[in-house]
Amino acid sequence: AQKVTQAQTEISVVEKEDVTLDCVYETRDTTYYLFWYKQPPSGELVFLIRRNSFDEQNEISGRYSWNFQKSTSSFNFTITASQVVDSAVYFCALSGNNRKLIWGLGTSLAVNP
Amino acid sequence: DAGITQSPRHKVTETGTPVTLRCHQTENHRYMYWYRQDPGHGLRLIHYSYGVKDTDKGEVSDGYSVSRSKTEDFLLTLESATSSQTSVYFCAISDRDRGRNTEAFFGQGTRLTVV
């Protein structure tokens, strides 16, 4: 069975703090894809990143970075120098051979001024 | 932004009435999905389609049916709406590129209230 766990339900930080959102996944597929999405208060779902199971290189995009570790089945997301506009619910998702996206329950991030 | 449109965006309906939500895409993506999003449950897959007239059930398919008669449209029908189907419904599209799953793009969502 496939599963995605986001253990942090809610996180609250003060602006400019660094924050890491955890994502742990389970799958028996050898080829799979991991995703992060952002859902701001306006409600839309915004794609942030896709990572395939053969690429364990960390990725950085501006203040965002992702740490993929197959050894611990984790795909963590770090926001450096957080800003109020980063306040949102963040979802981690997994896609394997069955072509369906399996979603975590999301982490609600509040960045306070 | 990916060309994906949901209609209607908001709907209030009475218990027992049929309701159809429409998802329309202009990206020619193969896969289309219907999710519902509820507090404490995240996103749950209702049905998905992997081609015209090819659909399959997700984890919360009871009370819902879907149809996909052409690539661009994926319809979700609540045959007899119940209050438990009050939710925000999202349509998503994705594709496969050289055998690899691409990311899913989402519509703006439909807020459905069953009274």
Side-chain angles (χ1 to χ4, degrees), chain B residues 10-74:
Chain B
H10 301 271
K11 186 170 183 65
V12 179
T13 191
E14 293 185 352
T15 299
T17 60
V19 177
T20 295
L21 308 183
R22 180 180 184 235
C23 179
H24 178 77
Q25 60 145 328
T26 58
E27 303 296 321
N28 200 36
H29 279 10
R30 180 178 175 184
Y31 302 100
M32 297 186 77
Y33 310 80
W34 277 108
Y35 291 92
R36 59 178 290 174
Q37 185 177 30
D38 305 287
H41 292 278
L43 281 159
R44 292 183 291 176
L45 182 65
I46 305 171
H47 283 279
Y48 69 104
S49 169
Y50 45 95
V52 174
K53 296 186 180 179
D54 289 325
T55 64
D56 205 351
K57 295 179 179 180
E59 59 183 307
V60 289
S61 59
D62 288 347
Y64 302 94
S65 62
V66 290
S67 66
R68 192 168 178 200
S69 59
K70 45 187 178 177
T71 300
E72 55 266 35
D73 289 326
F74 192 33

Short mmCIF file of all heavy atoms in Angstrom, two decimals, chain B residues 10-74:
data_model
loop_
_atom_site.label_atom_id
_atom_site.label_comp_id
_atom_site.label_asym_id
_atom_site.label_seq_id
_atom_site.Cartn_x
_atom_site.Cartn_y
_atom_site.Cartn_z
N HIS B 10 -19.60 27.67 -7.54
CA HIS B 10 -20.35 27.56 -6.29
C HIS B 10 -21.73 27.02 -6.62
O HIS B 10 -22.30 27.37 -7.66
CB HIS B 10 -20.52 28.93 -5.61
CG HIS B 10 -19.22 29.60 -5.29
ND1 HIS B 10 -18.55 29.40 -4.11
CD2 HIS B 10 -18.47 30.48 -6.02
CE1 HIS B 10 -17.44 30.13 -4.11
NE2 HIS B 10 -17.37 30.79 -5.26
N LYS B 11 -22.23 26.16 -5.72
CA LYS B 11 -23.58 25.65 -5.93
C LYS B 11 -24.19 25.27 -4.60
O LYS B 11 -23.53 24.63 -3.76
CB LYS B 11 -23.59 24.45 -6.88
CG LYS B 11 -25.00 23.98 -7.23
CD LYS B 11 -25.00 22.96 -8.33
CE LYS B 11 -26.44 22.56 -8.70
NZ LYS B 11 -27.19 23.70 -9.28
N VAL B 12 -25.44 25.63 -4.43
CA VAL B 12 -26.23 25.19 -3.29
C VAL B 12 -27.38 24.36 -3.84
O VAL B 12 -28.07 24.80 -4.77
CB VAL B 12 -26.77 26.38 -2.47
CG1 VAL B 12 -27.60 25.87 -1.31
CG2 VAL B 12 -25.63 27.26 -1.98
N THR B 13 -27.57 23.19 -3.31
CA THR B 13 -28.61 22.31 -3.81
C THR B 13 -29.31 21.64 -2.64
O THR B 13 -28.81 21.63 -1.51
CB THR B 13 -28.02 21.25 -4.76
OG1 THR B 13 -29.08 20.58 -5.44
CG2 THR B 13 -27.20 20.22 -4.00
N GLU B 14 -30.47 21.09 -2.93
CA GLU B 14 -31.23 20.43 -1.87
C GLU B 14 -30.94 18.94 -1.83
O GLU B 14 -30.63 18.30 -2.85
CB GLU B 14 -32.73 20.66 -2.10
CG GLU B 14 -33.13 22.11 -1.91
CD GLU B 14 -34.64 22.32 -2.01
OE1 GLU B 14 -35.35 21.35 -2.38
OE2 GLU B 14 -35.11 23.43 -1.73
N THR B 15 -31.08 18.38 -0.66
CA THR B 15 -30.90 16.94 -0.49
C THR B 15 -31.81 16.19 -1.44
O THR B 15 -32.98 16.53 -1.59
CB THR B 15 -31.21 16.54 0.97
OG1 THR B 15 -30.29 17.22 1.83
CG2 THR B 15 -31.07 15.05 1.17
N GLY B 16 -31.23 15.18 -2.08
CA GLY B 16 -32.02 14.33 -2.97
C GLY B 16 -32.01 14.74 -4.42
O GLY B 16 -32.48 13.99 -5.28
N THR B 17 -31.49 15.91 -4.72
CA THR B 17 -31.46 16.36 -6.11
C THR B 17 -30.18 15.89 -6.79
O THR B 17 -29.14 15.75 -6.14
CB THR B 17 -31.56 17.88 -6.21
OG1 THR B 17 -30.44 18.46 -5.52
CG2 THR B 17 -32.84 18.38 -5.59
N PRO B 18 -30.23 15.68 -8.09
CA PRO B 18 -29.00 15.33 -8.81
C PRO B 18 -28.18 16.59 -9.10
O PRO B 18 -28.73 17.67 -9.30
CB PRO B 18 -29.52 14.70 -10.11
CG PRO B 18 -30.86 15.33 -10.31
CD PRO B 18 -31.42 15.62 -8.95
N VAL B 19 -26.87 16.40 -9.10
CA VAL B 19 -25.95 17.52 -9.35
C VAL B 19 -24.84 17.03 -10.27
O VAL B 19 -24.31 15.94 -10.06
CB VAL B 19 -25.33 18.03 -8.03
CG1 VAL B 19 -24.32 19.14 -8.33
CG2 VAL B 19 -26.39 18.52 -7.07
N THR B 20 -24.50 17.85 -11.24
CA THR B 20 -23.37 17.51 -12.12
C THR B 20 -22.37 18.65 -12.10
O THR B 20 -22.73 19.81 -12.31
CB THR B 20 -23.84 17.25 -13.55
OG1 THR B 20 -24.67 16.07 -13.57
CG2 THR B 20 -22.64 16.99 -14.47
N LEU B 21 -21.12 18.28 -11.85
CA LEU B 21 -20.02 19.23 -11.92
C LEU B 21 -19.20 18.92 -13.17
O LEU B 21 -18.98 17.76 -13.51
CB LEU B 21 -19.13 19.11 -10.67
CG LEU B 21 -19.84 19.18 -9.32
CD1 LEU B 21 -18.81 19.12 -8.19
CD2 LEU B 21 -20.69 20.42 -9.20
N ARG B 22 -18.74 19.99 -13.80
CA ARG B 22 -18.01 19.81 -15.05
C ARG B 22 -16.58 20.27 -14.91
O ARG B 22 -16.28 21.30 -14.29
CB ARG B 22 -18.68 20.61 -16.17
CG ARG B 22 -17.99 20.48 -17.53
CD ARG B 22 -18.71 21.29 -18.57
NE ARG B 22 -18.11 21.12 -19.90
CZ ARG B 22 -17.67 22.12 -20.66
NH1 ARG B 22 -17.76 23.35 -20.24
NH2 ARG B 22 -17.16 21.88 -21.85
N CYS B 23 -15.69 19.50 -15.51
CA CYS B 23 -14.28 19.87 -15.60
C CYS B 23 -13.90 19.88 -17.07
O CYS B 23 -14.10 18.88 -17.78
CB CYS B 23 -13.42 18.87 -14.84
SG CYS B 23 -11.64 19.23 -14.92
N HIS B 24 -13.35 20.98 -17.51
CA HIS B 24 -12.97 21.13 -18.91
C HIS B 24 -11.50 21.51 -19.00
O HIS B 24 -11.05 22.43 -18.33
CB HIS B 24 -13.83 22.22 -19.57
CG HIS B 24 -13.48 22.47 -20.99
ND1 HIS B 24 -13.87 21.63 -22.02
CD2 HIS B 24 -12.77 23.47 -21.57
CE1 HIS B 24 -13.42 22.10 -23.17
NE2 HIS B 24 -12.76 23.22 -22.93
N GLN B 25 -10.76 20.80 -19.87
CA GLN B 25 -9.33 21.11 -20.02
C GLN B 25 -9.01 21.38 -21.48
O GLN B 25 -9.66 20.86 -22.39
CB GLN B 25 -8.47 19.94 -19.53
CG GLN B 25 -8.72 18.63 -20.27
CD GLN B 25 -7.47 17.80 -20.44
OE1 GLN B 25 -6.36 18.31 -20.56
NE2 GLN B 25 -7.66 16.48 -20.49
N THR B 26 -8.01 22.21 -21.67
CA THR B 26 -7.55 22.53 -23.03
C THR B 26 -6.12 22.06 -23.25
O THR B 26 -5.48 22.49 -24.20
CB THR B 26 -7.65 24.05 -23.28
OG1 THR B 26 -6.87 24.73 -22.29
CG2 THR B 26 -9.09 24.53 -23.22
N GLU B 27 -5.63 21.22 -22.35
CA GLU B 27 -4.22 20.78 -22.42
C GLU B 27 -4.05 19.44 -23.11
O GLU B 27 -2.92 18.98 -23.30
CB GLU B 27 -3.66 20.68 -20.99
CG GLU B 27 -3.75 21.96 -20.19
CD GLU B 27 -2.92 23.06 -20.80
OE1 GLU B 27 -1.81 22.79 -21.28
OE2 GLU B 27 -3.41 24.22 -20.82
N ASN B 28 -5.14 18.78 -23.44
CA ASN B 28 -5.07 17.45 -24.07
C ASN B 28 -4.35 16.43 -23.18
O ASN B 28 -3.71 15.50 -23.68
CB ASN B 28 -4.38 17.53 -25.44
CG ASN B 28 -4.71 16.34 -26.31
OD1 ASN B 28 -5.83 15.83 -26.29
ND2 ASN B 28 -3.75 15.87 -27.08
N HIS B 29 -4.47 16.61 -21.87
CA HIS B 29 -3.86 15.65 -20.94
C HIS B 29 -4.71 14.40 -20.85
O HIS B 29 -5.94 14.44 -20.92
CB HIS B 29 -3.70 16.28 -19.56
CG HIS B 29 -2.50 17.17 -19.45
ND1 HIS B 29 -1.74 17.54 -20.53
CD2 HIS B 29 -1.93 17.75 -18.38
CE1 HIS B 29 -0.74 18.31 -20.13
NE2 HIS B 29 -0.84 18.46 -18.82
N ARG B 30 -4.01 13.29 -20.66
CA ARG B 30 -4.69 12.00 -20.68
C ARG B 30 -5.49 11.74 -19.40
O ARG B 30 -6.57 11.17 -19.45
CB ARG B 30 -3.64 10.91 -20.87
CG ARG B 30 -4.22 9.52 -20.92
CD ARG B 30 -3.12 8.51 -21.17
NE ARG B 30 -3.63 7.15 -21.10
CZ ARG B 30 -2.87 6.07 -21.20
NH1 ARG B 30 -1.56 6.19 -21.38
NH2 ARG B 30 -3.41 4.88 -21.11
N TYR B 31 -4.92 12.11 -18.27
CA TYR B 31 -5.53 11.74 -17.00
C TYR B 31 -6.32 12.90 -16.42
O TYR B 31 -5.88 14.05 -16.43
CB TYR B 31 -4.46 11.31 -15.99
CG TYR B 31 -3.61 10.16 -16.46
CD1 TYR B 31 -2.35 10.38 -16.99
CD2 TYR B 31 -4.10 8.87 -16.41
CE1 TYR B 31 -1.57 9.33 -17.45
CE2 TYR B 31 -3.33 7.81 -16.87
CZ TYR B 31 -2.07 8.05 -17.38
OH TYR B 31 -1.32 7.00 -17.84
N MET B 32 -7.48 12.56 -15.87
CA MET B 32 -8.29 13.56 -15.19
C MET B 32 -8.80 12.95 -13.89
O MET B 32 -9.06 11.73 -13.82
CB MET B 32 -9.46 14.03 -16.06
CG MET B 32 -8.99 14.73 -17.35
SD MET B 32 -10.33 15.44 -18.33
CE MET B 32 -10.69 16.94 -17.37
N TYR B 33 -8.94 13.79 -12.88
CA TYR B 33 -9.26 13.33 -11.54
C TYR B 33 -10.32 14.23 -10.91
O TYR B 33 -10.36 15.43 -11.17
CB TYR B 33 -8.02 13.39 -10.63
CG TYR B 33 -6.77 12.76 -11.18
CD1 TYR B 33 -5.97 13.44 -12.10
CD2 TYR B 33 -6.37 11.49 -10.77
CE1 TYR B 33 -4.81 12.86 -12.60
CE2 TYR B 33 -5.19 10.91 -11.27
CZ TYR B 33 -4.43 11.61 -12.17
OH TYR B 33 -3.28 11.04 -12.66
N TRP B 34 -11.13 13.63 -10.07
CA TRP B 34 -12.01 14.39 -9.19
C TRP B 34 -11.64 14.07 -7.75
O TRP B 34 -11.58 12.90 -7.35
CB TRP B 34 -13.48 14.06 -9.42
CG TRP B 34 -14.09 14.81 -10.56
CD1 TRP B 34 -14.46 14.32 -11.78
CD2 TRP B 34 -14.46 16.20 -10.57
NE1 TRP B 34 -15.00 15.31 -12.55
CE2 TRP B 34 -15.03 16.48 -11.82
CE3 TRP B 34 -14.36 17.24 -9.64
CZ2 TRP B 34 -15.48 17.75 -12.19
CZ3 TRP B 34 -14.82 18.49 -9.99
CH2 TRP B 34 -15.37 18.73 -11.25
N TYR B 35 -11.42 15.15 -6.99
CA TYR B 35 -11.13 15.04 -5.56
C TYR B 35 -12.18 15.82 -4.78
O TYR B 35 -12.76 16.77 -5.28
CB TYR B 35 -9.77 15.67 -5.23
CG TYR B 35 -8.56 14.95 -5.76
CD1 TYR B 35 -8.02 15.26 -7.00
CD2 TYR B 35 -7.93 13.98 -4.99
CE1 TYR B 35 -6.89 14.61 -7.47
CE2 TYR B 35 -6.79 13.33 -5.46
CZ TYR B 35 -6.28 13.66 -6.69
OH TYR B 35 -5.16 13.02 -7.16
N ARG B 36 -12.32 15.44 -3.53
CA ARG B 36 -13.03 16.29 -2.60
C ARG B 36 -12.08 16.64 -1.46
O ARG B 36 -11.20 15.85 -1.09
CB ARG B 36 -14.31 15.65 -2.08
CG ARG B 36 -14.16 14.35 -1.35
CD ARG B 36 -15.50 13.83 -0.84
NE ARG B 36 -16.03 14.67 0.26
CZ ARG B 36 -17.22 14.50 0.79
NH1 ARG B 36 -18.04 13.55 0.35
NH2 ARG B 36 -17.64 15.29 1.78
N GLN B 37 -12.27 17.84 -0.93
CA GLN B 37 -11.40 18.29 0.15
C GLN B 37 -12.26 18.70 1.32
O GLN B 37 -13.14 19.57 1.20
CB GLN B 37 -10.53 19.48 -0.28
CG GLN B 37 -9.53 19.89 0.80
CD GLN B 37 -8.61 21.00 0.37
OE1 GLN B 37 -8.96 21.85 -0.44
NE2 GLN B 37 -7.40 21.00 0.91
N ASP B 38 -12.00 18.06 2.45
CA ASP B 38 -12.75 18.32 3.67
C ASP B 38 -11.78 18.51 4.82
O ASP B 38 -10.72 17.88 4.85
CB ASP B 38 -13.67 17.14 3.98
CG ASP B 38 -14.58 16.79 2.83
OD1 ASP B 38 -15.53 17.56 2.60
OD2 ASP B 38 -14.35 15.77 2.14
N PRO B 39 -12.13 19.36 5.77
CA PRO B 39 -11.26 19.58 6.93
C PRO B 39 -10.92 18.27 7.63
O PRO B 39 -11.80 17.44 7.87
CB PRO B 39 -12.10 20.50 7.82
CG PRO B 39 -13.03 21.18 6.89
CD PRO B 39 -13.36 20.17 5.82
N GLY B 40 -9.65 18.09 7.91
CA GLY B 40 -9.22 16.88 8.61
C GLY B 40 -9.01 15.68 7.74
O GLY B 40 -8.52 14.64 8.20
N HIS B 41 -9.39 15.78 6.47
CA HIS B 41 -9.25 14.64 5.56
C HIS B 41 -8.33 14.93 4.38
O HIS B 41 -8.02 14.04 3.60
CB HIS B 41 -10.61 14.22 5.02
CG HIS B 41 -11.51 13.64 6.05
ND1 HIS B 41 -11.44 12.32 6.46
CD2 HIS B 41 -12.50 14.19 6.78
CE1 HIS B 41 -12.34 12.10 7.38
NE2 HIS B 41 -13.01 13.21 7.60
N GLY B 42 -7.93 16.14 4.21
CA GLY B 42 -7.08 16.46 3.07
C GLY B 42 -7.84 16.25 1.77
O GLY B 42 -9.06 16.40 1.69
N LEU B 43 -7.09 15.86 0.76
CA LEU B 43 -7.67 15.60 -0.56
C LEU B 43 -7.94 14.10 -0.71
O LEU B 43 -7.05 13.29 -0.52
CB LEU B 43 -6.71 16.03 -1.65
CG LEU B 43 -6.66 17.52 -1.93
CD1 LEU B 43 -5.36 17.88 -2.62
CD2 LEU B 43 -7.83 17.93 -2.82
N ARG B 44 -9.15 13.77 -1.08
CA ARG B 44 -9.49 12.36 -1.27
C ARG B 44 -9.99 12.15 -2.70
O ARG B 44 -10.84 12.91 -3.17
CB ARG B 44 -10.56 11.92 -0.26
CG ARG B 44 -10.04 11.90 1.18
CD ARG B 44 -11.09 11.39 2.14
NE ARG B 44 -12.19 12.33 2.28
CZ ARG B 44 -13.28 12.09 3.00
NH1 ARG B 44 -13.41 10.93 3.63
NH2 ARG B 44 -14.23 13.00 3.10
N LEU B 45 -9.49 11.12 -3.32
CA LEU B 45 -9.81 10.84 -4.71
C LEU B 45 -11.19 10.19 -4.82
O LEU B 45 -11.47 9.18 -4.16
CB LEU B 45 -8.74 9.94 -5.32
CG LEU B 45 -8.90 9.58 -6.79
CD1 LEU B 45 -8.77 10.82 -7.67
CD2 LEU B 45 -7.86 8.54 -7.19
N ILE B 46 -12.02 10.75 -5.69
CA ILE B 46 -13.36 10.21 -5.89
C ILE B 46 -13.35 9.23 -7.07
O ILE B 46 -13.71 8.06 -6.94
CB ILE B 46 -14.37 11.33 -6.15
CG1 ILE B 46 -14.35 12.37 -5.02
CG2 ILE B 46 -15.78 10.77 -6.31
CD1 ILE B 46 -15.16 13.62 -5.32
N HIS B 47 -12.99 9.73 -8.22
CA HIS B 47 -12.85 8.93 -9.43
C HIS B 47 -11.74 9.53 -10.27
O HIS B 47 -11.41 10.70 -10.12
CB HIS B 47 -14.14 8.98 -10.28
CG HIS B 47 -15.26 8.13 -9.80
ND1 HIS B 47 -15.34 6.77 -10.05
CD2 HIS B 47 -16.37 8.45 -9.10
CE1 HIS B 47 -16.45 6.30 -9.51
NE2 HIS B 47 -17.10 7.29 -8.94
N TYR B 48 -11.21 8.72 -11.15
CA TYR B 48 -10.27 9.27 -12.10
C TYR B 48 -10.46 8.62 -13.47
O TYR B 48 -11.13 7.59 -13.59
CB TYR B 48 -8.82 9.13 -11.62
CG TYR B 48 -8.28 7.72 -11.59
CD1 TYR B 48 -7.39 7.27 -12.58
CD2 TYR B 48 -8.61 6.84 -10.56
CE1 TYR B 48 -6.87 5.99 -12.53
CE2 TYR B 48 -8.10 5.57 -10.53
CZ TYR B 48 -7.22 5.15 -11.51
OH TYR B 48 -6.71 3.89 -11.47
N SER B 49 -9.89 9.24 -14.46
CA SER B 49 -10.01 8.75 -15.83
C SER B 49 -8.63 8.71 -16.47
O SER B 49 -7.85 9.65 -16.34
CB SER B 49 -10.93 9.66 -16.64
OG SER B 49 -10.85 9.34 -18.01
N TYR B 50 -8.35 7.61 -17.16
CA TYR B 50 -7.07 7.48 -17.85
C TYR B 50 -7.24 7.47 -19.35
O TYR B 50 -6.35 7.04 -20.09
CB TYR B 50 -6.30 6.25 -17.35
CG TYR B 50 -7.12 4.99 -17.23
CD1 TYR B 50 -7.16 4.06 -18.28
CD2 TYR B 50 -7.84 4.72 -16.09
CE1 TYR B 50 -7.90 2.91 -18.17
CE2 TYR B 50 -8.60 3.56 -15.98
CZ TYR B 50 -8.63 2.66 -17.01
OH TYR B 50 -9.37 1.52 -16.91
N GLY B 51 -8.40 7.91 -19.82
CA GLY B 51 -8.65 8.04 -21.24
C GLY B 51 -10.14 8.17 -21.47
O GLY B 51 -10.95 7.99 -20.55
N VAL B 52 -10.50 8.47 -22.71
CA VAL B 52 -11.92 8.60 -23.05
C VAL B 52 -12.63 7.29 -22.75
O VAL B 52 -12.19 6.21 -23.16
CB VAL B 52 -12.08 8.97 -24.53
CG1 VAL B 52 -13.55 8.95 -24.93
CG2 VAL B 52 -11.48 10.35 -24.79
N LYS B 53 -13.68 7.39 -21.98
CA LYS B 53 -14.52 6.27 -21.57
C LYS B 53 -13.82 5.29 -20.64
O LYS B 53 -14.38 4.23 -20.33
CB LYS B 53 -15.10 5.54 -22.79
CG LYS B 53 -16.03 6.42 -23.61
CD LYS B 53 -16.70 5.66 -24.74
CE LYS B 53 -17.61 6.62 -25.52
NZ LYS B 53 -18.28 5.94 -26.65
N ASP B 54 -12.62 5.63 -20.19
CA ASP B 54 -11.88 4.79 -19.24
C ASP B 54 -11.83 5.48 -17.90
O ASP B 54 -11.15 6.51 -17.76
CB ASP B 54 -10.45 4.53 -19.74
CG ASP B 54 -10.42 3.61 -20.93
OD1 ASP B 54 -11.26 2.70 -20.99
OD2 ASP B 54 -9.56 3.83 -21.82
N THR B 55 -12.56 4.94 -16.94
CA THR B 55 -12.58 5.55 -15.62
C THR B 55 -12.41 4.47 -14.55
O THR B 55 -12.61 3.28 -14.81
CB THR B 55 -13.90 6.31 -15.36
OG1 THR B 55 -14.98 5.37 -15.36
CG2 THR B 55 -14.14 7.37 -16.43
N ASP B 56 -12.06 4.93 -13.36
CA ASP B 56 -11.89 3.98 -12.25
C ASP B 56 -12.23 4.69 -10.96
O ASP B 56 -12.22 5.93 -10.88
CB ASP B 56 -10.47 3.44 -12.22
CG ASP B 56 -10.38 2.09 -11.53
OD1 ASP B 56 -11.39 1.65 -10.94
OD2 ASP B 56 -9.31 1.47 -11.58
N LYS B 57 -12.53 3.88 -9.95
CA LYS B 57 -12.94 4.44 -8.68
C LYS B 57 -11.74 4.85 -7.85
O LYS B 57 -10.68 4.23 -7.89
CB LYS B 57 -13.76 3.41 -7.90
CG LYS B 57 -15.07 3.05 -8.55
CD LYS B 57 -15.81 2.00 -7.72
CE LYS B 57 -17.15 1.66 -8.37
NZ LYS B 57 -17.89 0.65 -7.58
N GLY B 58 -11.96 5.88 -7.04
CA GLY B 58 -10.99 6.27 -6.04
C GLY B 58 -11.41 5.77 -4.68
O GLY B 58 -12.20 4.82 -4.56
N GLU B 59 -10.93 6.40 -3.65
CA GLU B 59 -11.19 5.91 -2.29
C GLU B 59 -12.54 6.29 -1.73
O GLU B 59 -13.00 5.67 -0.76
CB GLU B 59 -10.08 6.42 -1.36
CG GLU B 59 -9.97 7.93 -1.31
CD GLU B 59 -8.82 8.41 -0.44
OE1 GLU B 59 -8.73 7.99 0.73
OE2 GLU B 59 -8.00 9.21 -0.95
N VAL B 60 -13.23 7.28 -2.30
CA VAL B 60 -14.52 7.72 -1.77
C VAL B 60 -15.53 7.84 -2.91
O VAL B 60 -16.16 8.88 -3.09
CB VAL B 60 -14.39 9.04 -0.98
CG1 VAL B 60 -13.67 8.82 0.31
CG2 VAL B 60 -13.70 10.12 -1.82
N SER B 61 -15.73 6.78 -3.65
CA SER B 61 -16.55 6.84 -4.86
C SER B 61 -18.04 6.63 -4.62
O SER B 61 -18.86 6.94 -5.51
CB SER B 61 -16.05 5.82 -5.87
OG SER B 61 -16.10 4.51 -5.31
N ASP B 62 -18.43 6.13 -3.46
CA ASP B 62 -19.84 5.85 -3.22
C ASP B 62 -20.67 7.12 -3.33
O ASP B 62 -20.36 8.14 -2.72
CB ASP B 62 -20.04 5.23 -1.83
CG ASP B 62 -19.53 3.81 -1.77
OD1 ASP B 62 -19.26 3.22 -2.84
OD2 ASP B 62 -19.41 3.27 -0.65
N GLY B 63 -21.75 7.03 -4.11
CA GLY B 63 -22.65 8.17 -4.28
C GLY B 63 -22.28 9.08 -5.42
O GLY B 63 -22.97 10.07 -5.68
N TYR B 64 -21.19 8.73 -6.11
CA TYR B 64 -20.72 9.53 -7.24
C TYR B 64 -20.56 8.66 -8.49
O TYR B 64 -20.21 7.50 -8.40
CB TYR B 64 -19.34 10.14 -6.94
CG TYR B 64 -19.25 11.02 -5.73
CD1 TYR B 64 -18.85 10.51 -4.50
CD2 TYR B 64 -19.56 12.38 -5.82
CE1 TYR B 64 -18.74 11.32 -3.39
CE2 TYR B 64 -19.45 13.21 -4.71
CZ TYR B 64 -19.04 12.66 -3.50
OH TYR B 64 -18.92 13.46 -2.40
N SER B 65 -20.81 9.29 -9.63
CA SER B 65 -20.50 8.65 -10.89
C SER B 65 -19.80 9.66 -11.79
O SER B 65 -19.90 10.87 -11.55
CB SER B 65 -21.75 8.10 -11.58
OG SER B 65 -22.64 9.16 -11.89
N VAL B 66 -19.08 9.17 -12.77
CA VAL B 66 -18.35 10.06 -13.68
C VAL B 66 -18.56 9.61 -15.11
O VAL B 66 -18.94 8.48 -15.39
CB VAL B 66 -16.84 10.09 -13.37
CG1 VAL B 66 -16.55 10.79 -12.06
CG2 VAL B 66 -16.25 8.69 -13.40
N SER B 67 -18.28 10.54 -16.00
CA SER B 67 -18.28 10.19 -17.42
C SER B 67 -17.25 11.02 -18.14
O SER B 67 -17.04 12.19 -17.80
CB SER B 67 -19.66 10.40 -18.05
OG SER B 67 -20.00 11.77 -18.06
N ARG B 68 -16.65 10.40 -19.13
CA ARG B 68 -15.67 11.09 -19.96
C ARG B 68 -15.88 10.64 -21.40
O ARG B 68 -15.35 9.63 -21.84
CB ARG B 68 -14.25 10.81 -19.51
CG ARG B 68 -13.25 11.75 -20.19
CD ARG B 68 -11.92 11.65 -19.53
NE ARG B 68 -10.93 12.50 -20.16
CZ ARG B 68 -9.63 12.33 -20.04
NH1 ARG B 68 -9.17 11.32 -19.31
NH2 ARG B 68 -8.80 13.15 -20.65
N SER B 69 -16.67 11.43 -22.12
CA SER B 69 -17.00 11.09 -23.50
C SER B 69 -16.01 11.71 -24.49
O SER B 69 -15.98 11.31 -25.65
CB SER B 69 -18.42 11.55 -23.83
OG SER B 69 -18.53 12.95 -23.63
N LYS B 70 -15.24 12.67 -24.04
CA LYS B 70 -14.19 13.24 -24.87
C LYS B 70 -13.04 13.69 -23.99
O LYS B 70 -13.21 13.88 -22.78
CB LYS B 70 -14.71 14.40 -25.73
CG LYS B 70 -15.58 15.39 -25.00
CD LYS B 70 -16.16 16.39 -25.99
CE LYS B 70 -17.08 17.36 -25.29
NZ LYS B 70 -17.61 18.39 -26.20
N THR B 71 -11.89 13.83 -24.59
CA THR B 71 -10.68 14.09 -23.83
C THR B 71 -10.79 15.29 -22.92
O THR B 71 -10.32 15.28 -21.79
CB THR B 71 -9.49 14.31 -24.79
OG1 THR B 71 -9.30 13.15 -25.59
CG2 THR B 71 -8.20 14.60 -24.03
N GLU B 72 -11.45 16.32 -23.39
CA GLU B 72 -11.42 17.58 -22.65
C GLU B 72 -12.41 17.70 -21.51
O GLU B 72 -12.30 18.61 -20.70
CB GLU B 72 -11.60 18.76 -23.62
CG GLU B 72 -12.85 18.69 -24.48
CD GLU B 72 -12.56 18.05 -25.84
OE1 GLU B 72 -11.72 17.12 -25.90
OE2 GLU B 72 -13.21 18.46 -26.82
N ASP B 73 -13.39 16.81 -21.42
CA ASP B 73 -14.43 16.97 -20.41
C ASP B 73 -14.54 15.75 -19.50
O ASP B 73 -14.56 14.60 -19.97
CB ASP B 73 -15.79 17.22 -21.05
CG ASP B 73 -15.87 18.60 -21.68
OD1 ASP B 73 -15.27 19.53 -21.13
OD2 ASP B 73 -16.55 18.73 -22.72
N PHE B 74 -14.64 16.04 -18.21
CA PHE B 74 -14.80 14.98 -17.21
C PHE B 74 -15.91 15.45 -16.27
O PHE B 74 -15.76 16.46 -15.58
CB PHE B 74 -13.48 14.77 -16.48
CG PHE B 74 -13.39 13.55 -15.62
CD1 PHE B 74 -14.05 12.38 -15.97
CD2 PHE B 74 -12.62 13.55 -14.47
CE1 PHE B 74 -13.94 11.23 -15.20
CE2 PHE B 74 -12.51 12.40 -13.68
CZ PHE B 74 -13.17 11.25 -14.05
#
